[in-house]
Amino acid sequence: MLILCPECELQVSDKAITCPHCGYPLKDIFQNSPPRKIRPKKYPKLPNGFGQITELKNPNLRNRFRVMISQGKTEYGKPIQKLLKPKAYFPTYKAAYEALLKYHKDPFDLDASITVRELHDTWVKSRRNGVTNYITAWRWCEPVYDMQVRDLRPKHIKKCIEGDIPVTIKPLIKILFNLMLDYAVEYELVERNIARSFEISSNINDDIEENKKEHMSFTDTEISKLWKAVGIVPEVDSMLVQCYMGWRPQELCLLRIEDVNLDKNYIVGGLKTEAGKGRIVPIHPCIKPIIEKKIAIAKSLGSEYLFNVKLVTKTGKESMIHMQYAKYRKCFNAILKELKLNPEHRPHDPRKHFVTMAKKNKMDEYAIKRIVGHRIDDITEAVYTDRDPEWLYQEVCKIPMPTKKYKAV
């Protein structure tokens, strides 16, 4: 017959002299011995697989209670114990137990607990392009760099957005966190994207509208100055390519050599919208020599990108790197200053200049939309009409060559 041991409460035979589990005496021959002291349990026993709270014996430790989580078993059936993240040591048993309860309400892979900075770096590496837009926005997010992604809350993101920062940067911060946390959800680092649970306040949107400047075309005098400066002022030729093709600045920077078809006079590229991605943009005859030269330079550098720019290090050493938006904007502003152009111009203005020239020279409206990547609402044109690159090229040739023949290379 089986009975319960008074000491360990495990089952033993009623004929046993002592408990085989804990050694507690069970027969009369041991009853004359002094009774064994039963130590009261200091802390409750945790369920199997729930976790482990250990009190470290070092009295000098401020946080003496260590929390471990069981995460699977070894090939021999031994539990694998890992420290709870982001914090595993606590000053009291109660605090440690509450942390363990919180973990079990929302279990996660302990190896997947990363900081916001680590998430940003991983997200950047996962994207082929479109990251340069958010470099400046990320610099304003320093208060959350070292936070655990799982601890991030809307109030933390709002604090970054609502700080004393340029108004045009605020929506970029919101978009940046939208994209980063979408990535975190995809790879199960978090369960939901908290950045998409709120919208930017109306006050910020009003400020953005008030500070938004109208784009402006270049005057004939300014275009003339640009042509005269080709080969003299760095990256003027890049600005002219944008003026005669209508690229967005970011799109221009991401064009690759493989995207160029010189035989059929077009380049394939584009970003941002469905209508803008992978569109065919004809090469105007006046800038074809510039494109040819850019290809030759890129090949000599071993670069896959069409536009590359000179970089001077702090030691004075010169090198060529792939053009990025921040560098293009810097060159753009330097050109305005060097050629004494209107200082209110912005890197998007060459795109507006192209559309203005196109309309002035009566280009087909649908050709303009296809070239600049705007949506075509007319179903007949958008769905049922095929337009080949030659048609687009003929349309863009309606824009006349520069009135004076300047050397473009």
Side-chain angles (χ1 to χ4, degrees):
M1 178 179 173
L2 296 176
I3 61 173
L4 293 179
C5 172
E7 170 69 15
C8 64
E9 299 182 350
L10 295 177
Q11 291 183 334
V12 297
S13 171
D14 61 347
K15 295 181 172 53
I17 297 176
T18 60
C19 175
H21 304 291
C22 64
Y24 186 82
L26 300 173
K27 291 298 181 180
D28 294 340
I29 56 174
F30 294 102
Q31 287 180 356
N32 293 329
S33 302
R36 186 175 176 181
K37 292 183 179 180
I38 301 176
R39 294 182 180 180
K41 292 183 178 179
K42 197 171 182 180
Y43 305 112
K45 183 180 178 181
L46 299 176
N48 290 338
F50 190 76
Q52 182 184 90
I53 300 177
T54 305
E55 183 180 5
L56 304 179
K57 300 304 180 183
N58 187 342
N60 296 323
L61 292 176
R62 181 177 298 176
N63 298 314
R64 300 188 337 181
F65 293 87
R66 182 185 66 198
V67 180
M68 305 281 285
I69 302 294
S70 297
Q71 295 246 304
K73 295 183 179 181
T74 66
E75 58 181 325
Y76 303 106
K78 185 177 179 180
I80 299 173
Q81 301 286 343
K82 293 184 179 181
L83 290 172
L84 180 66
K85 291 183 180 180
K87 184 178 179 182
Y89 295 87
F90 300 87
T92 64
Y93 180 90
K94 181 180 178 182
Y97 185 69
E98 287 175 352
L100 196 54
L101 285 176
K102 183 179 178 181
Y103 165 80
H104 281 287
K105 286 181 180 178
D106 182 21
F108 57 90
D109 183 356
L110 294 176
D111 293 330
S113 184
I114 62 175
T115 64
V116 176
R117 188 199 304 270
E118 291 169 338
L119 172 63
H120 172 266
D121 294 344
T122 305
W123 172 76
V124 167
K125 291 176 183 177
S126 72
R127 291 177 67 90
R128 182 180 175 185
N129 51 45
V131 177
T132 53
N133 302 346
Y134 307 107
I135 292 175
T136 304
W138 174 244
R139 290 173 184 160
W140 291 96
C141 302
E142 189 173 354
V144 300
Y145 280 178
D146 298 321
M147 286 188 62
Q148 294 291 322
V149 175
R150 290 190 167 274
D151 294 335
L152 196 63
R153 296 293 180 266
K155 64 180 180 181
H156 302 125
I157 301 174
K158 287 180 179 179
K159 189 174 181 180
C160 294
I161 295 173
E162 295 169 359
D164 185 17
I165 64 176
V167 68
T168 54
I169 300 297
K170 295 183 177 186
L172 289 178
I173 293 176
K174 174 66 163 61
I175 296 170
L176 173 62
F177 277 98
N178 284 350
L179 297 174
M180 284 169 48
L181 292 174
D182 279 344
Y183 176 86
V185 170
E186 180 182 355
Y187 287 91
E188 299 182 354
L189 303 178
V190 293
E191 287 190 352
R192 67 188 187 97
N193 186 339
I194 53 98
R196 295 192 181 276
S197 65
F198 68 93
E199 298 295 334
I200 294 179
S201 70
S202 58
N203 291 336
I204 292 176
N205 287 325
D206 292 342
D207 290 341
I208 292 170
E209 289 301 318
E210 287 180 11
N211 285 272
K212 191 179 287 184
K213 296 179 182 177
E214 191 69 27
H215 292 297
M216 64 180 77
S217 302
F218 293 95
T219 65
D220 291 342
T221 302
E222 288 176 324
I223 290 294
S224 178
K225 286 183 178 182
L226 290 174
W227 277 113
K228 288 178 181 178
V230 172
I232 301 172
V233 179
E235 302 311 319
V236 166
D237 53 358
S238 300
M239 278 183 63
L240 287 168
V241 170
Q242 194 184 358
C243 284
Y244 282 85
M245 296 190 76
W247 296 110
R248 297 179 179 94
Q250 299 94 328
E251 294 173 336
L252 186 80
C253 295
L254 293 170
L255 293 177
R256 288 170 155 69
I257 297 176
E258 64 183 12
D259 300 327
V260 182
N261 189 326
L262 287 175
D263 294 334
K264 295 187 178 180
N265 298 304
Y266 67 80
I267 301 177
V268 178
L271 296 170
K272 195 171 181 180
T273 64
E274 288 302 317
K277 294 176 183 177
R279 66 185 188 272
I280 293 175
V281 180
I283 301 171
H284 192 279
C286 71
I287 59 168
K288 189 170 182 178
I290 295 175
I291 301 295
E292 291 171 340
K293 185 177 180 181
K294 292 290 185 183
I295 291 174
I297 292 172
K299 287 182 177 179
S300 69
L301 296 171
S303 172
E304 62 180 317
Y305 291 96
L306 184 59
F307 291 92
N308 299 277
V309 66
K310 184 182 291 185
L311 178 69
V312 181
T313 63
K314 293 181 180 179
T315 59
K317 185 179 179 181
E318 293 185 355
S319 61
M320 295 289 286
I321 62 168
H322 158 225
M323 174 83 80
Q324 295 182 342
Y325 176 71
K327 188 65 179 175
Y328 180 74
R329 183 175 58 187
K330 185 176 180 180
C331 292
F332 185 93
N333 292 331
I335 291 169
L336 298 182
K337 186 175 181 181
E338 177 74 17
L339 301 182
K340 295 182 173 55
L341 306 182
N342 189 332
E344 296 298 315
H345 279 303
R346 290 179 293 160
H348 249 74
D349 289 357
R351 179 172 166 86
K352 181 168 184 176
H353 182 80
F354 170 80
V355 175
T356 302
M357 286 196 302
K359 288 181 176 289
K360 182 179 178 181
N361 290 283
K362 297 181 172 52
M363 276 180 58
D364 186 274
E365 189 70 25
Y366 294 128
I368 298 172
K369 289 186 176 183
R370 288 178 185 272
I371 290 171
V372 298
H374 288 168
R375 188 178 68 183
I376 298 174
D377 293 324
D378 183 83
I379 296 177
T380 304
E381 177 65 29
V383 180
Y384 294 101
T385 306
D386 288 328
R387 299 291 193 181
D388 60 24
E390 181 61 27
W391 177 73
L392 292 174
Y393 178 70
Q394 293 300 328
E395 287 296 316
V396 86
C397 284
K398 290 180 179 179
I399 299 174
M401 297 285 283
T403 53
K404 293 184 179 180
K405 189 175 181 180
Y406 301 110
K407 193 175 181 180
V409 291

